Amino acid sequence: MLRTRLSLALLLVAASLAAQARDYAYSDAHLHYVDFFQETAGMDKLLKAMAENRIEHVMISGIPVAKKWHEDEPKRPRYYAGDDADAYWYSATDVIVAAAVNKLAPEQRQHFHPFLAGFNPNDKNSAAHIQRMLDLNPGLWQGIGEVFTRHDDLTALTSGDTPRANNEAMTRIYHLAAENDLPVMLHSNITSKRERNPLYLAEVEESLRNHPHTRFIWAHAGTSKEIHRHQVQMDFLLPTLNRMLEAYPNLYIDLSWSMLTPYLLDEAGQPRPEWVKLVERFPERFMLGSDVVGRFNKLGKEMRRFDPFLDALPEDVARKVARDNFLAILPKSPRNGVTP
């Protein structure tokens, strides 16, 4: 019995050491090149952060809204929630991203995967706008998003009506995405700050059901910092994701920062077994994202925060989540003559 226990302990130690020895290469599936004022630290700093932290591929997008510095505000806000001034839809964000990527050398460009974001998701003209952008830069754009629909206080601050994932304007965009083999990254909160039920889930689920040929990346799986601030943790999230991933093969989950805690890791920073089991059950449907906005000095830190969770997964699954799953969801035909 003692020998058996000793052997088991040695095996556990060996497994732990093997996990600690893993060295991951990453794909950042959720990065904003600019902030809410359409400003950026620049491509040189982004390239440096990628090279120093083994971030081999990046989903690069703008921010679809710009925060107004209101005439009545004496101090310029630093974030969209800095004051009560509104935000407005800002299409030039895609021009900024396209210019930055197009300036790169071909060997650098292959590591960047631009997503179109600068459109109003309430406007039924937006699908035509997206098509114009695709035509202006043939082969550049590899996805659509991050699309802001229900997004905490930003929803109330943004001029115009509340966007919904299942409105008619977005329906046209989903059809266009499927025709062009483009995945769609969708930010749609699963609930409000105080409702302890999946209040808005039907908006996402209807879109998944009605557009089976469109690949959806659900940003943060419907979670957000504001929801956590009021509810800490949503008990219904895990069973909901289990059901939806089984029901909709076109659903993929972006595990960017608001999913790390309190879901993937517990209060002690240890992986939660039930979430490890979920990712093991659907090993090709999860991807990592930093969700940084215009500043890249903490990019490596944000990506490495996932390492304890990755280490709890089988190594082949961990490497898929860290790098390969994002690349697999991109358009199948090479873009700009380069295969990811």
Side-chain angles (χ1 to χ4, degrees), residues 124-289:
K124 289 190 284 188
N125 289 312
S126 287
H129 164 76
I130 292 171
Q131 185 62 61
R132 282 193 294 272
M133 294 298 291
L134 295 174
D135 294 340
L136 281 170
N137 272 287
L140 174 68
W141 302 106
Q142 299 182 38
I144 295 173
E146 180 185 8
V147 184
F148 287 174
T149 58
R150 298 198 183 267
H151 192 301
D152 300 324
D153 297 331
L154 183 60
T155 300
L157 288 173
T158 303
S159 301
D161 301 327
T162 299
R164 289 181 290 106
N166 60 340
N167 67 16
E168 188 174 342
M170 288 304 301
T171 293
R172 292 167 180 252
I173 291 168
Y174 300 146
H175 283 301
L176 180 67
E179 291 168 4
N180 288 275
D181 193 28
L182 300 174
V184 177
M185 174 173 278
L186 184 67
H187 187 123
S188 181
N189 287 3
I190 194 170
T191 191
S192 66
K193 291 186 287 189
R194 288 182 171 81
E195 286 291 327
R196 297 181 181 274
N197 59 78
L199 180 66
Y200 302 131
L201 177 62
E203 297 172 7
V204 175
E205 193 156 7
E206 180 181 325
S207 304
L208 289 163
R209 183 172 57 250
N210 291 349
H211 302 277
H213 300 299
T214 303
R215 301 187 298 284
F216 289 83
I217 308 170
W218 196 6
H220 328 287
T223 68
S224 74
K225 181 178 179 180
E226 279 301 307
I227 293 175
H228 295 165
R229 186 173 293 166
H230 290 264
Q231 301 197 30
V232 182
Q233 186 173 165
M234 295 177 284
D235 293 337
F236 57 81
L237 185 63
L238 182 65
T240 297
L241 290 180
N242 258 301
R243 178 184 64 80
M244 292 181 69
L245 286 164
E246 184 172 358
Y248 304 107
N250 56 331
L251 173 63
Y252 298 81
I253 304 299
D254 156 41
L255 293 174
S256 48
W257 64 278
S258 62
M259 286 297 295
L260 191 62
T261 54
Y263 297 104
L264 304 184
L265 303 179
D266 63 18
E267 296 82 358
Q270 297 301 308
R272 294 185 186 271
E274 62 272 25
W275 284 90
V276 172
K277 183 178 179 181
L278 174 68
V279 176
E280 288 179 341
R281 186 182 176 201
F282 302 98
E284 298 177 348
R285 311 280 285 282
F286 293 88
M287 56 197 71
L288 305 183

